[in-house]
Amino acid sequence: MSQFLPDPVLSVRNLRLGIGKRYEILHGISFDILPGETYGLVGESGSGKSVTGLAIMGLLKRPLSVTGGTIHFQDRDLLKMHPRERRQLRGDRIAMVFQEPMTALNPLVTIGRQIAEMFVIHRGMGWPEARRKAVEALESVRVPAPEERAHAYPHQLSGGMRQRVMIAIALACRPDLLIADEPTTALDVTVQAGVLELMAELCRAEGTAVLLVSHDLGVIANMCQRVGVMDQGRLVEEQDTRNIFTNPLHPYTRGLLAARPRLGSRTPGQRSRLIELDEVVNAKDRGRDMPTLITPRGPQLAPETRA
Amino acid sequence: MMRFILRRTLQMIPTMLAVILIIFVIFSVVPGSFITSLMSEGRNATNAQVLSHLNEQFGLDQPLPVRLWNYLSGLAHFDLGISYRTREPVWNVIEPRLWPSIKLALCAMGFAAFVGIPLGFLAALKPGSVFDSGTMVVAVSGLSLPEFWFGLLLMYVFALNLGWLPSFGYQPGSIRHIILPAIALGVGPMALLARTTRAGVLDVMNADFVRTARAKGLAEPRLVRSHVARNVLVLILTTMGLQIGALMGQAIVIEKLFSWPGIGSLLVDSVAVRDIPVVQGAVLVIVLWFLVINMLVDIAYALIDPRIKVS
Ligand SMILES: Nc1ncnc2c1ncn2[C@@H]1O[C@H](COP(=O)(O)OP(=O)(O)OP(=O)(O)O)[C@@H](O)[C@H]1O
Ligand SMILES: [Mg+2]
């Protein structure tokens, strides 16, 4: 282990989040993301990955709110920051790409303008200059014919292209941290790999740290240096990516791995959602502190056939 | 775009034909005729000779299909027939009523839009607040109050008690005369617009692209301006269009109440004396207004929403 670990870009400590104090969704999670690092967050549906990302962005919607803990971004406490300051950080220093490219862009505004907006609000540019920068940004995410595409509306673009536009928006101001919440799950299998590679490449070039939320352990294996495993609002394991595949510590992680298609049989970027896992998990009532995922279900008698 | 407008215009023709047919059939089966109403006015028309002469003069002795055919072929030349009462071409009777009616409808809608849309917007920006609940209570009352009653109330307060505004009548360029009837007519659409705007804003505020806009770091005013307002406009355009379109028809009561010389009061007067050609003409105008407004709304849609194909 290196003794010269740089200061983390993002430091989440004991983050609690819920609906008021009564109903808790995140039960105190802690993790760090180092500059330029890609940190993976895996876990089954409903384990709290998205709300973690939204909490960091400060975009939690009304019934949900942060109820405890701290989020430090480059040594500044995000939760104690003035709302205006925090807003100025959003999009500029911390950016986010969402899962749904189909609805994440305003259908009535050209994509060129939606990208240009970033330069207008964060760089104080006038629209003509911002527009030129937007075309450059489109070019950098390898949208063909960026000049013309800038005048297109979202509905005229494919899902993959829209997600490229989203990435262009997110990376427009060269943020220090990108939160990507299942950025390719909604995309066609054939374009997933391309979009992910593009994202990784651009972030590597700019030294942008990434918090990558994914169902797909294959994606995590390809993209991340470290991975955190979430289960029911807790971070149950955190490891270097290569270790987690060879030496998973937590039983829940082993369950995740077991439910995954064989590593050798998949091509990089191929979609392999943990459908099998979801079925197993949802079929059982698990105890809070004892994830019993790996215990074989075995044949069970239906209640009515029990003597 | 021209082809789009042309196509929508042509699409109006079958609707118009259906409306004409329905009006024609209805007024040929309603009891009473112009002649009987003449008699009830005490004029000396009991003479059978006079009666058949009148019937002949207005073509009423012919069977219904023939009359319908005559009417339609007249319409093809923009000839709406001859008024039984004034013996003038129907168009000459209707034409002076058009502008007052359109003016009243537009002013009522202007009032509805300028009050209803901002109210709905403000209510939605602070859902659950006192302002929100207050607005919605007013909106619901506005929708449920009979406009006739509301018109009387306005008249009573602002014309009789305070004496600020004239209580009835029409003067060609007078703004003071139009205020009360326009508010009385516009209060229903205003309430409806406030409600649909509020619902629309709440809807759009929850949209994914607004979350994206927030993630981009947009300040709230800019976010509302560039990512909410236009999208809400698309949502409420239909409501607005339907309201303006229906206003000319809805104005009947208000026009009568405020002695406003529009199509609505003409319709009421003409029905009373069974002046069928004028009634038909007036109904046609009201329907045509509705259809034209709807076409304009469609065009506005095509201009605002890039997803709508014009071709
Ligand atoms: N607005 C809300 N109101 C109530 N509960 C919520 C709300 N949003 C999220 N939750 C709850 O918070 C928990 C975590 O949700 P979250 O969306 O973060 O899961 P996730 O790990 O991202 O799942 P997925 O993989 O399906 O995206 C879930 O149990 C969910 O029911
Ligand atoms: Mg999620």
Side-chain angles (χ1 to χ4, degrees):
Chain A
M1 216 196 196
S2 165
Q3 290 152 328
F4 306 106
L5 276 181
D7 287 342
V9 216
L10 183 79
S11 178
V12 176
R13 282 291 165 273
N14 207 16
L15 180 67
R16 291 175 182 276
L17 171 165
I19 301 172
K21 286 267 177 203
R22 309 250 306 284
Y23 180 70
E24 206 169 64
I25 290 169
L26 289 187
H27 313 286
I29 65 167
S30 306
F31 61 95
D32 287 343
I33 299 180
L34 304 178
E37 180 189 36
T38 301
Y39 184 96
L41 209 51
V42 288
E44 73 182 82
S45 198
S47 56
K49 307 179 299 286
S50 294
V51 290
T52 306
L54 291 172
I56 298 166
M57 283 300 280
L59 289 178
L60 287 174
K61 279 233 191 99
R62 226 175 325 118
L64 303 180
S65 64
V66 172
T67 51
T70 59
I71 305 173
H72 282 270
F73 175 74
Q74 295 170 335
D75 291 331
R76 301 160 78 191
D77 190 342
L78 289 180
L79 300 177
K80 292 221 176 72
M81 222 177 241
H82 188 277
R84 175 154 39 81
E85 242 186 311
R86 192 160 187 207
R87 195 197 72 229
Q88 284 162 355
L89 226 50
R90 252 200 311 265
D92 187 15
R93 300 327 317 148
I94 313 177
M96 187 157 182
V97 174
F98 300 95
Q99 176 174 343
E100 247 326 313
M102 293 305 168
T103 51
L105 291 164
N106 189 336
L108 304 187
V109 181
T110 61
I111 57 167
R113 194 182 169 90
Q114 295 192 57
I115 301 172
E117 206 165 30
M118 295 298 283
F119 301 113
V120 172
I121 55 178
H122 292 297
R123 295 289 176 267
M125 288 182 194
W127 280 106
E129 192 187 357
R131 226 167 242 290
R132 274 194 299 280
K133 294 280 287 179
V135 173
E136 280 170 31
L138 274 179
E139 203 168 359
S140 74
V141 292
R142 298 198 206 110
V143 168
E147 286 289 347
E148 292 116 66
R149 284 297 180 183
H151 297 288
Y153 289 93
H155 73 277
Q156 295 165 323
L157 270 62
S158 69
M161 280 300 146
R162 281 187 231 187
Q163 203 62 310
R164 281 166 194 265
V165 172
M166 282 302 293
I167 292 172
I169 292 174
L171 298 182
C173 297
R174 300 157 198 259
D176 300 306
L177 175 66
L178 173 69
I179 301 170
D181 188 354
E182 313 212 23
T184 56
T185 311
L187 296 184
D188 201 272
V189 189
T190 51
V191 302
Q192 285 186 359
V195 170
L196 278 172
E197 270 156 31
L198 172 78
M199 198 179 84
E201 187 189 314
L202 293 174
C203 290
R204 212 178 307 126
E206 292 295 333
T208 305
V210 182
L211 174 62
L212 178 65
V213 173
S214 181
H215 275 109
D216 190 332
L217 283 168
V219 167
I220 298 280
N222 283 340
M223 306 264 303
C224 306
Q225 283 89 59
R226 286 189 305 143
V227 53
V229 181
M230 286 194 71
D231 178 31
Q232 300 194 341
R234 286 172 218 278
L235 201 65
V236 292
E237 175 164 5
E238 182 180 88
Q239 285 240 48
D240 279 3
T241 307
R242 49 197 137 83
N243 292 348
I244 211 154
F245 287 97
T246 52
N247 185 25
L249 298 178
H250 198 275
Y252 176 74
T253 313
R254 274 179 251 154
L256 267 182
L257 289 169
R260 165 186 65 111
R262 294 245 61 86
L263 193 63
S265 71
R266 63 185 312 286
T267 50
Q270 186 187 319
R271 177 190 173 111
S272 61
R273 296 189 60 187
L274 300 175
I275 295 153
E276 308 90 330
L277 177 69
D278 287 351
E279 282 166 5
V280 175
V281 169
N282 294 337
K284 290 192 80 99
D285 270 342
R286 280 177 297 159
R288 256 286 119 105
D289 39 17
M290 230 332 257
T292 54
L293 235 189
I294 49 156
T295 49
R297 274 225 293 155
Q300 274 183 351
L301 289 175
E304 57 269 31
T305 56
R306 243 171 247 163
Chain B
M1 186 48 101
M2 281 321 290
R3 284 183 56 185
F4 174 72
I5 296 173
L6 190 69
R7 190 162 48 93
R8 290 290 280 106
T9 312
L10 290 178
Q11 278 170 359
M12 283 164 34
I13 291 174
T15 319
M16 287 304 284
L17 280 176
V19 169
I20 292 166
L21 196 67
I22 292 168
I23 301 171
F24 216 88
V25 170
I26 288 177
F27 283 110
S28 59
V29 297
V30 286
S33 72
F34 177 66
I35 292 135
T36 50
S37 79
L38 268 190
M39 292 190 291
S40 67
E41 275 175 29
R43 297 206 197 147
N44 184 14
T46 40
N47 189 314
Q49 209 180 338
V50 174
L51 219 152
S52 73
H53 174 71
L54 279 171
N55 269 335
E56 203 176 316
Q57 188 184 345
F58 292 114
L60 293 176
D61 52 344
Q62 282 159 338
L64 188 65
V66 177
R67 274 154 54 197
L68 179 61
W69 173 252
N70 288 342
Y71 188 65
L72 284 178
S73 49
L75 275 186
H77 304 100
F78 299 102
D79 174 11
L80 293 169
I82 303 289
S83 160
Y84 295 165
R85 186 169 51 168
T86 65
R87 312 281 165 100
E88 282 179 278
V90 169
W91 178 248
N92 292 2
V93 180
I94 287 179
E95 198 260 349
R97 305 291 194 124
L98 270 180
W99 180 232
S101 254
I102 292 175
K103 202 156 70 170
L104 182 60
L106 292 182
C107 286
M109 201 55 211
F111 164 75
F114 275 104
V115 178
I117 295 177
L119 275 186
F121 240 102
L122 292 175
L125 292 182
K126 290 222 182 303
S129 66
V130 176
F131 179 79
D132 179 25
S133 331
T135 308
M136 287 309 116
V137 167
V138 172
V140 172
S141 345
L143 275 180
S144 48
L145 282 183
E147 54 191 13
F148 174 74
W149 186 87
F150 188 70
L152 274 180
L153 185 75
L154 285 178
M155 223 183 231
Y156 181 75
V157 175
F158 293 101
L160 293 184
N161 270 13
L162 297 171
W164 291 352
L165 294 163
S167 59
F168 66 88
Y170 174 82
Q171 273 173 21
S174 160
I175 294 172
R176 282 161 47 81
H177 281 84
I178 207 168
I179 292 178
L180 290 185
I183 291 179
L185 185 59
V187 72
M190 184 271 279
L192 195 66
L193 263 182
R195 281 168 54 106
T196 38
T197 304
R198 178 181 180 274
V201 171
L202 288 179
D203 211 42
V204 173
M205 285 297 236
N206 271 320
D208 280 356
F209 61 81
V210 168
R211 189 183 58 184
T212 304
R214 289 217 163 87
K216 285 161 82 172
L218 265 75
E220 209 70 2
R222 171 165 224 138
L223 182 130
V224 170
R225 235 184 316 122
S226 35
H227 291 283
V228 177
R230 216 149 69 100
N231 303 66
V232 173
L233 184 61
V234 170
L235 287 182
I236 60 180
L237 205 57
T238 316
T239 312
M240 282 181 69
L242 285 175
Q243 290 296 310
I244 313 181
L247 269 185
M248 200 180 271
Q250 284 166 2
I252 293 174
V253 175
I254 294 295
E255 283 187 4
K256 209 55 202 153
L257 181 67
F258 286 92
S259 310
W260 191 262
I263 299 286
S265 48
L266 175 67
L267 188 61
V268 176
D269 297 344
S270 305
V271 166
V273 297
R274 302 288 190 277
D275 191 351
I276 304 303
V278 174
V279 171
Q280 283 169 341
V283 173
L284 272 183
V285 166
I286 290 172
V287 172
L288 194 65
W289 168 258
F290 184 82
L291 293 177
V292 167
I293 291 292
N294 270 295
M295 183 176 84
L296 291 179
V297 167
D298 283 354
I299 293 171
Y301 258 126
L303 290 177
I304 296 179
D305 193 333
R307 286 167 298 183
I308 291 172
K309 291 208 176 61
V310 173
S311 56

